[in-house]
Amino acid sequence: MASDDNIIISGDAVIYPGDLHEDFVRSSGPGGQNVNKVATAVQLRFDAANATGLSERVRERTIKLAGQRATKDGVIVIEAGRFRTQEQNRADARARLTALVAKAAEPPPPPRKKTRPSKGAVERRLKSKAGRGTIKKLRGRVEND
């Protein structure tokens, strides 16, 4: 296998052709009589749990992001049958897999910076609380002196 067949996503995420397995099945959707004769839909299987081109962090996130498309063994199954030809469906499945792994390879967001409310905001909040309490007290029974 040529190294130019590798799908390079980032420094810690590369998909090797040996990790991919494609099965062609009959497709539903457009195609008329052709649908009943030709296996144009593709089932792309990617063994993410044993893929050598993924770092541990990317591997775990890929399986998590795949959701129901991932099996218990960590194999991601992508079905593509939108198009009428095998080549288009094959390219569509690979593009969807690449997008999934690319999303998993994104660095985690920076941690949230804790902020404090300003002194004025705290005073305004306490003043409004006191005002609401006064209003509720005035709703009570009126006593005659």
Side-chain angles (χ1 to χ4, degrees), residues 52-89:
T52 55
L54 301 181
S55 69
E56 195 59 39
R57 181 185 70 83
V58 174
R59 177 177 294 120
E60 289 172 8
R61 286 207 44 184
T62 301
I63 294 171
K64 184 179 174 189
L65 287 174
Q68 288 196 332
R69 292 176 291 186
T71 65
K72 291 177 187 172
D73 303 328
V75 177
I76 297 171
V77 180
I78 295 179
E79 294 187 19
R82 279 195 300 185
F83 302 103
R84 287 185 62 165
T85 63
Q86 272 188 359
E87 292 79 27
Q88 285 178 310
N89 285 331

Side-chain angles (χ1 to χ4, degrees), residues 9 14-22 43-54 58-59 62-63 69-71 73-78 97-98 100-101:
I9 294 161
V14 178
I15 299 173
Y16 297 112
D19 295 333
L20 300 176
H21 178 72
E22 293 172 337
Q43 272 188 347
L44 180 68
R45 294 179 179 275
F46 175 61
D47 190 0
N50 299 317
T52 55
L54 301 181
V58 174
R59 177 177 294 120
T62 301
I63 294 171
R69 292 176 291 186
T71 65
D73 303 328
V75 177
I76 297 171
V77 180
I78 295 179
L97 176 66
T98 304
L100 177 72
V101 176

Side-chain angles (χ1 to χ4, degrees), residues 1-7 16-17:
M1 292 187 199
S3 63
D4 39 325
D5 289 342
N6 297 341
I7 302 170
Y16 297 112

Side-chain angles (χ1 to χ4, degrees), residues 116-137:
R116 249 192 188 153
S118 67
K119 191 173 179 183
V122 171
E123 286 175 5
R124 284 190 300 272
R125 182 179 64 87
L126 293 176
K127 188 176 177 185
S128 69
K129 278 174 69 93
R132 285 191 302 272
T134 306
I135 289 169
K136 290 183 179 187
K137 277 183 192 161

